[in-house]
Amino acid sequence: MFTTRPTLQGTFGMVSSTHWLASQSAMAVLEDGGNAFDAAVAAGFVLHVVEPHLNGPAGEVPVLLAPAGGEVRVLCGQGVAPAAATVAHYRGLGLDLVPGTGPLAAAVPGAFDAWMLLLRDHGTKSLADVLKYAVGYAEDGHAPVERVGETVGTVRELFATEWTSSAEVYLPGGEPPRPGELFRNPALAATWRRLIAEATEEAAAVTKTAAVTEGSTLTQTSGAAREQRGARETAAPAAGVRVAEIEAARRIWREGFIAEALVRQAGRPTLDTSGERHRGTLTAADLAGWSATYEAPATYDWRGWTLCKAGPWSQGPVLLQQLALLPPELPRYGSAAYVHLLIEGCKLAMADREAWYGDTGEVPPAELLADLLSQEYNAGRRALVGERASYELRPGSPGGRVPRISGHARAVAAGEYVAGPPGAPGAGEPTVAKPPTSPVPGEPEVSADGGTRGDTCHLDVVDRWGNMVAATPSGGWLQSNPVVPELGFPLGTRLQMARLEEGLPDSLAPGRRPRTTLTPSLALRDGVPVMAFGTPGGDQQDQWQLHFFLAVALRAQVRGGLDLQGAIDAPNWHNDSFPGSFHPRGMRPGSVTVESRTDPGVVGELRRRGHDVQIGEAWSEGRLCAVARDPRTGVLSAAANPRGMQGYAVGR
């Protein structure tokens, strides 16, 4: 079967990410003896540099990790709302939606601490080892992809007149970065160099004190006892220094020069999408009091596979429920009946997301998911899927609970709130560049008043030992907030996903995580991790991932392994028949956007069934990455999305 690229296969290590420099940096770490977790951290920091319009250090990242022989875990790098971020405060400013840009939309930054925890607990490399690739590209420069300059061009006036610290970085010489010319971010390189220097100094002092204490204890220990402990004591100093440096870096981020600069920036009045200048709510106490955390994944078993996702503080369970909604017998893959079934199931799962997902704690996540994913509940939901396209927002009542939908979402669903024409900013987190007339939202699009959408990155790594990781970094985009002058990167805007209405699962509240669209995936086969995958794309992420997973599970293999590249290359689609997650949170009932490569007969039948079908560009839907491992043979594989012309897989 023809594919745009081969599915890579090897036995040493495989990486797939949304930028070739991140993929190759991760591979360099593997070649240098690092494991998948070391490689993922290095790639994550490179993505901050080479895809600054898609993510940044003050953004967020959910990570799914599967240590060889261990259990799958979720590492939550999604920060919470600051203590002063209340509905009353925002309403008092005359707002009915959290702005899509500016410091009012900034949650506690989560990405940095999550990467540090991953490195500390599962990696083997030092802080300097994993940061050197990002430092090099920021300091010495890299040739930016076209969309960096195009994105900066759309905010040129805003940067020049309002966000002048951003102009200093992204308008060197008064012009946006150009493809083929080196672009540098010396402020970011200096931040990481200072962080490494301070963390090294602090760790040296800590380990010296610990060594003195340990030495005093050893003088009182018998020679036989010391001999028995010898191997551990020989290895301990290097490991101790490594961990001490990482812990020092975490403290500096939360309480040191980085924290001080972030808080100063949050306090500066900044023009945002409301058209007004606002100060943020982030404080030193907010930064000092938060850290990334581990938790068990949400899971669902389907035909011998187990899919692992983050919990309902993300949209991850949407993929699981879409699987739960499938009937025992599926229509032919790719047929109109097949596409119709998946679209209608997605609408039901997304309606449940709107009513039930969030970080409220009122319904324990395990209890909620048990009901949302139960056979009984989804059999009832499946019965709602008819031969015709639904134009309604139809949340269900898992466990007999009454669904709660915000007033804004009800107005959007009823057509009483107009968020702009198809393709307007806010219709969904974007994917790849498209002309202004495209019905599919393009990549970051920013107006002169700061109206913006950012996008997302993704990376997957598997190593020769069987360690596997999937991560979806996002937020902290160059167009989300002004660059912090002392640091070289901006704050994020994830609070825009929280509702300014009390009593909802996703209501804005201090200490709560805003419901995120970021949703990496890990798949197990007969209980063994075999595949890590994911994509940028906001509300589309778990739509595209479902299509990809089913293509892998239902179609033929290649060269004895999973046909990852064929599944990525297959024509894809998405629908917007639910309130979007991003400002101004619009909705297009009944809409379906398909790639022009889609069979015309399928398009015609979908229209006959009542779908409002829009035809997008031939290669416009999805930006998937994937790696896999065959536990029987140890053969590794990888593939990456050709759409957007920057995702790449590498390996051997």
Side-chain angles (χ1 to χ4, degrees), residues 126 130 152 163 270 311 387 431 537 557 576:
S126 71
V130 297
V152 175
W163 296 8
T270 301
E387 290 297 311
T431 55
Q557 297 187 340
D576 295 309

Side-chain angles (χ1 to χ4, degrees), residues 5 19 103 156 161 182 217 256 260 280 339 351 355-356 362 402 423 466 509 520 560 622:
R5 306 165 179 178
H19 196 289
R156 186 171 183 164
T161 60
L182 288 180
T217 302
E260 293 167 359
V339 177
W356 299 109
E362 294 178 13
V402 178

Side-chain angles (χ1 to χ4, degrees), residues 165-166 168-169 187-188 191 261 265 268 482-489:
S165 60
S166 296
E168 291 177 9
V169 175
L188 179 58
T191 295
Q265 185 63 44
R268 294 185 175 112
V483 165
V484 183
E486 307 93 322
L487 303 179
F489 60 84

Side-chain angles (χ1 to χ4, degrees), residues 223-251:
R226 288 198 300 272
E227 187 174 336
Q228 290 173 358
R229 289 166 41 178
R232 180 182 64 82
E233 288 171 357
T234 300
V241 170
R242 190 187 79 87
V243 170
E245 287 178 352
I246 295 168
E247 285 300 297
R250 296 179 69 209
R251 189 203 63 77

